[in-house]
């Protein structure tokens, strides 16, 4: 006999479309708040506030909080949860359509996993962003922070201006409904000053794109399409990289060494 197919409700379908997995474990909520490190003068933007499970603990430690939620089914609970918090502004709006504040701010959220890449792009493009603490799928957080032993193109491209790290893990059982995979706390911090002179950043990004281009099957082969062979080989030796090193195994710090040698950039120029 074939297994009986369970009927899905409109609410089930809405959760699937919105990628909603609400935090239900107080320990996981506390872990997120610790990773976010809200300060008494901070402006926080919360992505996907849901029913406010994370909103109230965050609000207890920050100066102002703007909570974004697009699901009308949970908005009444979120509004009620924040009714006695005058410094919390609940907005029934799409975070991705929001204009970044002119002042420094931080982003925090148990974000819809299907929108992870879009939320990260929004954060990277916001000039006033100080930090983002995002609860994503664990594999995404590990990929972006080198926890697999490999480094992604996006991480390397943005490394001079942003620091990426895995700030914790959240087991799948901490969510309702329970997702198929565990969560990871991704922490993204904008550096006070880039690790390279700002005028050098476009050239650095071009070099990284060239290196990740896949020509020849190795980083050395790709870089030789844009730089003299002798200079590339010397830079690889200085960065302690074998010529056949796969591009994903190159640390962000080694990319900086390669750029400084290939472009004769003074390491102290960014500080000056």
């Amino acid at each position: 006999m074939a297994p009986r197919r369970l009927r899905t409700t409109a609410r089930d379908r809405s959760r699937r479309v919105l990628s909603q997995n609400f935090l239900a474990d107080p320990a996981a909520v506390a872990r997120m708040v610790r990773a976010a490190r809200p300060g008494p003068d901070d402006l926080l933007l919360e992505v996907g506030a849901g029913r406010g499970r994370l909103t109230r603990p965050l609000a207890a430690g920050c100066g102002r909080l703007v909570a974004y939620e697009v699901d009308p089914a949970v908005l009444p609970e979120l509004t009620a949860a924040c009714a006695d918090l005058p410094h919390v502004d609940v907005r029934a709006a799409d975070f991705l359509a929001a204009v970044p504040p002119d002042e420094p701010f931080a982003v925090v959220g148990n974000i819809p996993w299907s929108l992870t890449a879009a939320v990260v792009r929004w954060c990277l493009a916001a000039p006033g962003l100080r930090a983002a603490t995002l609860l994503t799928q664990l594999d995404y957080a590990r990929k972006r922070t080198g926890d697999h032993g490999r480094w992604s193109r996006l991480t390397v491209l943005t490394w001079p201006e942003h620091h990426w790290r895995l700030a914790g893990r959240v087991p799948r059982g901490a969510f309702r409904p329970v997702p198929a995979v565990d969560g990871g706390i991704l922490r993204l911090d904008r550096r006070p000053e880039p690790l390279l002179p700002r005028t050098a950043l476009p050239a650095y990004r071009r070099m990284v794109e060239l290196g990740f281009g896949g020509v020849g099957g190795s980083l050395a082969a790709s870089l030789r399409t844009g730089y003299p062979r002798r200079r590339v080989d010397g830079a690889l030796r200085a960065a302690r990289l074998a010529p056949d090193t796969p591009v994903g195994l190159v640390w962000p710090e080694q990319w900086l060494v390669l750029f400084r040698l290939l472009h004769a950039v003074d390491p102290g120029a960014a500080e000056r």
Side-chain angles (χ1 to χ4, degrees), residues 214-230:
V215 177
S218 70
L219 174 61
S222 296
L223 291 179
R224 286 170 187 154
T225 64
Y227 300 92
R229 182 186 186 97
R230 179 177 295 181

Side-chain angles (χ1 to χ4, degrees), residues 30-55:
R31 198 173 306 142
M32 275 291 292
V33 174
R34 286 196 301 271
R37 304 193 302 269
D41 299 322
D42 290 349
L43 168 61
L44 299 187
L45 274 56
E46 185 184 2
V47 190
R51 298 185 174 94
R53 191 67 182 271
L54 183 58
T55 310

Side-chain angles (χ1 to χ4, degrees), residues 44-46 49 55 65-69 78 82 88-92:
L44 299 187
L45 274 56
E46 185 184 2
T55 310
L65 190 150
V66 181
Y68 287 89
E69 178 53 59
L78 175 62
C82 302
V88 174
D89 178 9
V90 175
R91 296 187 184 177

Side-chain angles (χ1 to χ4, degrees), residues 12 23 29 57 66-67 76 80 91 111 122 126 143 153 179-180 193 195 211 218 230 232 236 243 245 250:
D12 294 330
L23 274 180
V29 172
V66 181
R91 296 187 184 177
I111 64 177
W122 189 100
K143 176 183 178 182
R153 182 197 307 243
E193 287 295 330
L195 299 177
S218 70
R230 179 177 295 181
V232 169
L236 290 171
T245 301
V250 181

Side-chain angles (χ1 to χ4, degrees), residues 114-140:
S114 65
L115 299 179
T116 299
V119 172
V120 169
R121 284 196 300 270
W122 189 100
C123 291
L124 290 171
L129 181 85
R130 179 181 53 80
T133 307
L134 307 174
L135 183 47
T136 72
Q137 287 185 338
L138 177 59
D139 191 63
Y140 181 92

